[in-house]
Amino acid sequence: MTNSERSRFYAKIDQFWADLYEEEYALYDLYEVTDEEVEKIRIATECTGKIYFKTAHLLRNIPDEVLLEMGYPEETLPFLRMKTLEAESVIARFDFIAHNGGYKCIEMNADTPTFIKELFVVNEQICKEFDMKNPNAEMEELLKSNVRKSVAQSIFSPDAHIVFTAHEDNIEDYFTTLYIMQFVPGAKFTPLHQLQIQKGVGLFDEDGKRIDLLYRPTFPIENLIQDEDDAQNRIGLWLIELIESNLLTILNPPSAFLLQNKAVQAIIWGLHEERNAFFTSEEHEWIAEYFLPTYLENTPFIEKGLRYVKKPVYGREGDTVEIYAEDGQLIKEDIQKSYNHYTKVYQQFIEQPKTTFQSEKGVQTGELLVGSFLISGKPAAIGLRVGGMITNNLSYYLPIGMKRD
């Protein structure tokens, strides 16, 4: 591969970020997968999704003290109990590690997952370039129809004003948002900083028109609630109050934020360990097969002499993640600590498979993480990130393809 081949290829794809942070991000290379592997990932995604969605019903009905212990912000408790859509999340992504012939879920990105355009659009283009079959063929149609369905379920008038928003200066967030917006006829884009809010009245676009439905594909609720204006009014909480008062609808729905918290996996594992009747025997089999032991303390791993990962209940791109040895000694950490103030979860560590790949810097070796989308409860596009022991914002996107029959 030459750098010019990569540049030529990615220059043809409109509104895409082949480079991020002035570094190569999307690789001009392809990792071969089999039909069997793709099917295994899809089954893992569907089963894991069913477990998470079922757990949401339980979480909406447990005491406030338990939710607070799990690290949910106190200001969001009424918001967390809202059920506004049939699906608990419209666009969610699981992260899996291939392990012993199967796949283990390390987390669910239920509220504001990225990696969307890469898998639903770009992967098709690179498969054509390398004359391979795209495992994600026809998945864009699934995404489009479910985005439209969720919008239709969220508005109460054909004249509803639908606005998509993101940080306009973040190229990945901006182009991801524009990509999803194209599926919704009549929707408009307003940058986050141009939204206007009136406490108890409504949210308005830059033209002063009241918004009925706000789609914020990349703006997390845990960040939103921290927002203040120049007068130090807590406008983020005003927005949450508008949603609770049915003066505004949002997508992903509130239940997606309920499932975004990584402590949900500790709840699921705890119920599984005690063989709680909340889950059926088949669901317990799914948890044993696809989940990793996860707790709100590290004691179980210290007692059993197992390596473990410590991560914040809210966090992204490996930020604030730490890996510990069997004796509890820190062996690897991400240098960024943006999410240190959140409650932590502790999860059993498993090795990620390694692969070699072609980059502008030459042939490199990296560790693989599988991203698999769940669209309104249905398994969808899959893809790979490749990087270090902790997958972070400098990890590469590695396209995947299958041999043609």
Side-chain angles (χ1 to χ4, degrees), residues 182-349:
Q182 70 176 337
F183 301 139
V184 184
K188 70 169 286 191
F189 179 82
T190 296
L192 270 165
H193 70 276
Q194 289 187 15
L195 294 174
Q196 302 159 31
I197 190 165
Q198 292 181 33
K199 183 175 170 62
V201 177
L203 184 70
F204 301 83
D205 67 14
E206 68 273 41
D207 300 319
K209 187 174 179 182
R210 186 173 154 185
I211 299 167
D212 297 297
L213 172 61
L214 183 72
Y215 210 134
R216 29 128 224 135
T218 58
F219 190 47
I221 295 292
E222 69 269 22
N223 292 1
L224 183 150
I225 62 172
Q226 304 297 329
D227 261 16
E228 294 183 352
D229 63 12
D230 293 339
Q232 295 187 311
N233 292 309
R234 298 196 65 183
I235 54 174
L237 294 183
W238 290 4
L239 193 141
I240 295 293
E241 288 164 9
L242 291 177
I243 299 161
E244 291 167 357
S245 307
N246 294 317
L247 294 167
L248 177 70
T249 307
I250 60 160
L251 288 173
N252 263 322
S255 50
F257 179 65
L258 181 69
L259 294 179
Q260 178 73 27
N261 184 319
K262 294 181 182 69
V264 174
Q265 224 164 319
I267 297 293
I268 291 168
W269 190 259
L271 292 169
H272 171 63
E273 273 197 324
E274 64 184 36
R275 300 297 297 182
N276 194 291
F278 176 72
F279 292 120
T280 65
S281 56
E282 183 181 37
E283 288 165 346
H284 278 293
E285 287 174 17
W286 294 345
I287 296 166
E289 184 168 357
Y290 299 122
F291 284 73
L292 286 167
T294 307
Y295 305 95
L296 290 170
E297 57 181 13
N298 64 354
T299 313
F301 301 116
I302 300 294
E303 288 175 347
K304 293 174 185 171
L306 293 171
R307 282 199 283 175
Y308 62 92
V309 181
K310 176 184 176 183
K311 48 190 176 181
V313 295
Y314 296 111
R316 282 159 177 74
E317 298 283 8
D319 191 325
T320 318
V321 171
E322 298 172 351
I323 299 171
Y324 288 82
E326 295 82 350
D327 60 357
Q329 293 296 307
L330 180 67
I331 53 175
K332 183 81 177 175
E333 64 181 323
D334 191 81
I335 54 168
Q336 294 185 303
K337 303 291 177 189
S338 317
Y339 304 108
N340 225 4
H341 54 292
Y342 289 119
T343 301
K344 307 298 187 297
V345 294
Y346 302 83
Q347 185 176 73
Q348 184 179 331
F349 172 84

Side-chain angles (χ1 to χ4, degrees), residues 37-46 96 103 370 372 382:
E37 283 174 281
V38 171
E39 184 61 19
K40 277 185 182 178
I41 296 167
R42 296 248 154 86
I43 292 169
T45 303
E46 186 166 18
F96 289 108
Y103 290 88
V370 176
S372 181
I382 61 175

